[in-house]
Amino acid sequence: MPRDALRLAALALLVAAAAGQNLLGKSAESADPIKAPSAGDVLGKMTAGNAEGWSLAFLNGEAPPFTLTSDANGISASDTAGTDAHWYFVGPAAFSGDMRAAYNGKLTFSIVQLSVADAKAKKDLKAPLVVLQAECGHYLWWSPATLGSGATTVMLNEDAGWKDSRTGRAAGVMDVLGVLSHLSHIKIRGGFFKTSAETTRLSGVQLMASGRSWYPCCTLSNEVDLCQKKPTAWFNP
């Protein structure tokens, strides 16, 4: 079966499972949508001054040789040795599980470099800034064009620039939905300087819903897609 056909079939099955429907011979008028919380509803949130459940890890999952601390401003870590690897803040269980409701929603957070020992050191721009780790092992990753300091917001859809670790290519709608519906954890980068000791603080992490309900539908080109309005014709992919 061609790749496109497999992706369309998988999308139909995912939507059907989420809605609890058998799509074959089922009228779209009676099909239930994938329910989502209201726009801006917080699905996962960092509590100020509380590092419970948060941890540190390299991209490969191994723990770095330093520890996490917390205060009223957020959580922070100090790589005093200048570890020659990128390290990440790893979110707790509140940011895992079935997070389909976050599709087309957003992830917000703030990263601040509290100190960099070598003033001449340059940020390494190659590693992902955010990682969405799937339970089955692969992940989606995202980085902005420039790595600044402060508040960051990234949309959780296929148009935001997410890449798939399996292919290195842009993630599609099925890739994003698949990871969000089986989210193991999120990682937000804390290590930016491979040649210098540094201290980084993370705060204000929130995973927010899109506030929309998604219906399975067929496009004019007979492709399976997700629509915001309930279709009026019979849905039979």
Side-chain angles (χ1 to χ4, degrees):
M1 184 181 291
R3 177 180 174 82
D4 288 346
L6 285 171
R7 289 171 61 83
L8 296 178
L11 176 55
L13 289 174
L14 176 63
V15 173
Q21 299 288 337
N22 179 358
L23 294 183
L24 296 180
K26 190 72 175 181
S27 172
E29 285 293 336
S30 61
D32 293 331
I34 301 172
K35 300 292 186 181
S38 300
D41 278 3
V42 177
L43 304 175
K45 182 179 181 180
M46 170 188 280
T47 303
N50 184 5
E52 184 177 356
W54 287 88
S55 60
L56 300 172
F58 294 120
L59 189 58
N60 63 6
E62 295 181 2
F66 43 90
T67 59
L68 188 70
T69 61
S70 65
D71 57 30
N73 295 315
I75 59 176
S76 59
S78 297
D79 179 6
T80 56
T83 303
D84 188 25
H86 306 293
W87 55 272
Y88 290 79
F89 297 99
V90 183
F95 293 89
S96 64
D98 185 351
M99 290 291 179
R100 281 172 297 178
Y103 177 73
N104 264 346
K106 57 187 177 181
L107 175 67
T108 64
F109 58 91
S110 179
I111 284 285
V112 175
Q113 299 289 150
L114 298 179
S115 66
V116 180
D118 183 357
K120 296 182 180 180
K122 295 183 178 180
K123 282 187 177 181
D124 188 318
L125 305 178
K126 295 180 180 180
L129 180 62
V130 182
V131 170
L132 303 178
Q133 182 77 48
E135 293 176 355
C136 56
H138 72 284
Y139 59 87
L140 303 183
W141 61 270
W142 176 85
S143 284
T146 58
L147 288 175
S149 182
T152 299
T153 297
V154 56
M155 298 300 296
L156 299 171
N157 59 36
E158 63 278 9
D159 298 321
W162 292 94
K163 298 294 180 63
D164 192 320
S165 66
R166 297 168 295 183
T167 63
R169 298 177 180 177
V173 59
M174 263 305 300
D175 304 315
V176 178
L177 275 170
V179 170
L180 287 176
S181 62
H182 299 85
L183 189 60
S184 172
H185 56 265
I186 64 170
K187 290 188 178 88
I188 300 174
R189 187 175 170 187
F192 297 90
F193 298 90
K194 299 177 72 172
T195 60
S196 174
E198 61 185 314
T199 299
T200 306
R201 181 174 68 208
L202 173 67
S203 62
V205 184
Q206 291 191 111
L207 185 64
M208 287 179 279
S210 66
R212 297 171 180 170
S213 295
W214 300 98
Y215 297 83
C217 61
C218 286
T219 67
L220 294 177
S221 57
N222 292 322
E223 295 179 346
V224 180
D225 204 347
L226 294 177
C227 298
Q228 296 177 42
K229 296 181 180 180
K230 184 181 293 187
T232 57
W234 281 71
F235 177 75
N236 188 355

